[in-house]
Structure formats: C-alpha cells, structure tokens
Amino acid sequence: MTNETQDFHAEYKVIGGKLVVADVETDGQVITDLKISGDFFLEPEDAYFDLAPALIGASVTADNTQLRDRLDAALAKYGSELAMHGFSTADVATVVRRALGSAADFTDFDWQIIRGEVLPTQVNVALDQVLLEEVSAGRRAPTLRFWEWDDTATVIGAFQSYVNEIRPEGVEKYGVEVVRRISGGGAMFMEGGNCITYSMFVPPSLVAGLDYQESYVFLDQWVLAALKSLGVEAFYKPINDISSTQGKIGGAAQKRLRDGTLLHHATMSYDIDADKMVEILRIGQAKISDKGVASAKKRVDPLRSQTGESRADIIETMATTFIDRYGASPDTYTDAELDRARELVAEKFGTEAWTHRVP
C-alpha cells in the first residue's frame, strides 16, 4: 500500500539574518523530497547541494535537534571552509519543522488590537486568562492588547514564592496590590504610567516548529522594530529579556494551554521609582545588576530616557508598527469578557489561596 504524498511550504525570517524557505514532500511517514532556498549566503557552493539530501528519509516527527544533527553531519566534511552567513543549520531545521507543522504567518490572521480602558491590575491579570481561553475556543480572533491601570501593584510569576519576593512592610506602606499571574517569570512593579505592558493571544499554528526560546523573539519582532524606529537598538537576551545597548528594558513571559494556544506578554520599564521598588520587592544583588538598578539611581527609565517620548507616544508607535506589519482592527473587551474577568478576581486572582499558593 502506497502512502499518500503530502506537500508543505514554510518561510522563516532568521532573527537578525536572512530568509530561509522549505518546500517539503512526505509520504506521511518520512521526508521524501525537499527544496531549501532563500537569500542567505553559503560557502563553498557545493555545501548547498548537501542541505536537502541530508534530510531525505528523516521522520516527519523528527524534532529540531534531530534534523540539525543530520545537517551538521552532512556538512562536517567541509570543515573550516564552511561559512554560513545569515542562517544556520538550526534555522534550516526550524523552517522544515514549521513546514511540517503547517505553520502560519502573522498576516494569515485577522488580528484585533485593544487599547483598553483603565482597569484594576487584578482585572488586567484575569483578562489574560479570559482572552486566552476565548481565542482557544474560537470565540475571539488573535488579539494584541495594551494594559492600562492606575493602581500600585506588583505582579508575581505563577511559580514565585510570595515570601521570597515580597517585603510586607513595603506593601503596607505604599498600599500595593500583589497579584499572581498565570505565566511564569519574575515580579513586576507596576504603578500607573511607570511601564508598558502588552499581551498577545496567539494561535498554535503561528509558533509551529519554533522551540520555546525561538518563540519569544519571533513574537516580539514588531516590538524591536518599533523601538528601533524610536532610536533604541533593542534585542533579545535569552530566554525572555528585552534589552538594549544601555541595559535591560523589560521581560516577557508565556502561558500555553494544552491545545497550544499561547499567551505571550511583556512589561517594559518606562519610568520606575527604583527606591520604592526595592522597598516592595526582595531583589538580590545579582538581580539588581541584571536589571541595571544602581543604589545611587532613583529611577529606572530606559524607555523614557532612551526615546525622549511620552509613554502614550511609545504605545502609539508600537500599535502602529504592529498594524503596518500585520494588519489589525480596533477592538474592545466584550461585556461577557469583563464580567468573566471580574468573576475570576473573586474566585481566583483576588484570593489569598491563589496569591499565596507558593508560600
């Protein structure tokens, strides 16, 4: 019995590099034919003709590491003569995996963008769960939303210890609302106007074939482009830090449902009172160095100082960059979504059991 031939196509723009394209044919079990193309550079030229044959016969379920190992073995004979510019064997493996996973591009979706109303931080955190579930259920299109709030809060990661991260005396002194979110990562000190936070609700096909680390930088390319247009040479520091030549700007976090639907959100510092922050958060010396918080420095203000722009103007630039690249329609939260978020605050995000679930 002959298995049915299947054809797949994917394109992958290497972060900071070139375009790599894969056209893959399989019999449902293994790769039977493959064409790799793109605007990359490869020397010696003969090495190009070893790329595709290296993956013929590979299982359609082979992961990135297995595919990369086959490519590396095929190219090993070139030794020091081999020069790959703008891409790597890992990138070839990624585009093949994205093809086999029927990966989509941003422009394949009708994105919605929400420039939301001012809401309590607890409700903002709850909305991340609500909108993630709505996109997963197909009741909402893929969505980008910008948070707005005016309370003083600290949002801690899903797996952080409350007592190890929070100073109770600082929380009491400044009336801080401590909220635990559904994604991992570190704590965020969030006063109204002191940072920029956005959330993306992403279908599984958009990140198909990308490993955990690759998905972060892939999903935030529009952010790096927006910052560049504002004069900030921003880049990713693995796994999830957005940085620049002058230091850390912010960090991202993710939460994936079992079906692969993804919440990707990030907070970037605009103008943070560092002295107040260290009264509220237990930040060790190593983390202080990483965040660029010196004891003599009163504020952490990478976006304000590096751009010279208002917070509102930076958000406008970010939104415009996203729309220009991928297309997006203005949207709002539905009444049902807001009602459900407030229910979750009462049931979960506003409760001691959730907030202190890791003591």
Side-chain angles (χ1 to χ4, degrees):
M1 179 178 175
T2 302
N3 291 327
E4 183 179 353
T5 297
Q6 298 173 294
D7 296 304
F8 304 92
H9 174 88
E11 301 181 6
Y12 178 61
K13 176 65 169 64
V14 178
I15 308 306
K18 295 296 185 178
L19 181 71
V20 186
V21 182
D23 290 284
V24 188
E25 180 182 288
T26 81
D27 63 4
Q29 301 295 318
V30 300
I31 296 172
T32 55
D33 193 23
L34 174 64
K35 294 180 178 64
I36 299 295
S37 58
D39 60 357
F40 49 78
F41 300 93
L42 176 60
E43 296 291 345
E45 185 175 349
D46 287 350
Y48 171 72
F49 299 100
D50 287 324
L51 289 175
L55 300 184
I56 301 300
S59 170
V60 296
T61 61
D63 62 21
N64 286 44
T65 299
Q66 292 169 320
L67 295 177
R68 187 185 67 236
D69 287 347
R70 291 175 72 113
L71 291 161
D72 288 340
L75 299 180
K77 63 186 178 183
Y78 296 102
S80 60
E81 291 183 68
L82 183 68
M84 305 179 73
H85 300 288
F87 80 124
S88 67
T89 54
D91 297 317
V92 176
T94 292
V95 73
V96 171
R97 280 295 337 143
R98 281 181 65 74
L100 292 172
S102 299
D105 190 37
F106 274 93
T107 54
D108 293 327
F109 303 101
D110 295 322
W111 286 88
Q112 307 297 304
I113 185 167
I114 299 177
R115 304 281 296 275
E117 61 196 84
V118 174
L119 295 166
T121 298
Q122 287 183 342
V123 176
N124 270 312
V125 170
L127 275 169
D128 272 356
Q129 177 173 328
V130 172
L131 270 59
L132 178 62
E133 292 172 351
E134 290 297 292
V135 171
S136 174
R139 292 187 292 266
R140 167 173 281 280
T143 299
L144 164 68
R145 79 175 182 105
F146 290 93
W147 295 28
E148 290 296 342
W149 68 99
D150 59 10
D151 52 353
T152 297
T154 290
V155 179
I156 60 176
F159 311 111
Q160 287 188 295
S161 163
Y162 186 100
V163 297
N164 288 341
E165 298 296 328
I166 302 299
R167 298 183 186 275
E169 60 275 16
V171 168
E172 183 177 355
K173 177 179 178 180
Y174 295 109
V176 178
E177 190 77 68
V178 180
V179 191
R180 187 182 296 277
R181 62 182 185 270
I182 60 173
S183 65
M188 309 182 302
F189 173 53
M190 301 174 62
E191 286 187 293
N194 77 351
C195 53
I196 294 172
T197 297
Y198 59 89
S199 300
M200 301 172 66
F201 306 90
V202 178
S205 59
L206 184 58
V207 293
L210 298 177
D211 65 27
Y212 186 74
Q213 183 172 313
E214 288 172 331
S215 69
Y216 273 90
V217 65
F218 175 75
L219 291 173
D220 276 341
Q221 281 304 289
W222 63 278
V223 179
L224 303 186
L227 293 175
K228 185 172 184 178
S229 73
L230 293 166
V232 180
E233 290 297 327
F235 52 88
Y236 246 82
K237 288 182 66 176
I239 299 175
N240 62 331
D241 283 350
I242 301 172
S243 194
S244 77
T245 52
Q246 298 184 47
K248 182 173 177 178
I249 293 173
Q254 294 183 354
K255 168 69 176 180
R256 298 180 188 229
L257 299 182
R258 288 190 174 182
D259 69 359
T261 306
L262 173 67
L263 161 65
H264 174 93
H265 52 187
T267 292
M268 300 186 292
S269 302
Y270 178 73
D271 191 8
I272 292 176
D273 186 329
D275 288 342
K276 185 184 292 186
M277 179 174 68
V278 297
E279 285 189 71
I280 295 164
L281 298 179
R282 299 184 187 277
I283 305 176
Q285 188 60 46
K287 209 163 189 179
I288 287 176
S289 299
D290 181 56
K291 290 178 180 293
V293 182
S295 59
K297 193 171 184 179
K298 300 298 182 184
R299 308 201 74 82
V300 181
D301 63 349
L303 288 182
R304 185 178 67 84
S305 61
Q306 291 184 45
T307 67
E309 301 285 344
S310 69
R311 177 179 177 275
D313 285 344
I314 294 172
I315 292 174
E316 180 63 33
T317 297
M318 291 175 66
T320 299
T321 299
F322 188 92
I323 292 167
D324 289 347
R325 283 186 160 218
Y326 311 131
S329 302
D331 199 13
T332 59
Y333 308 117
T334 67
D335 290 341
E337 288 167 346
L338 288 170
D339 287 346
R340 178 57 183 150
R342 294 185 178 106
E343 288 175 1
L344 282 173
V345 170
E347 299 169 359
K348 179 177 180 179
F349 294 103
T351 67
E352 287 289 307
W354 172 258
T355 305
H356 294 268
R357 76 167 192 162
V358 183

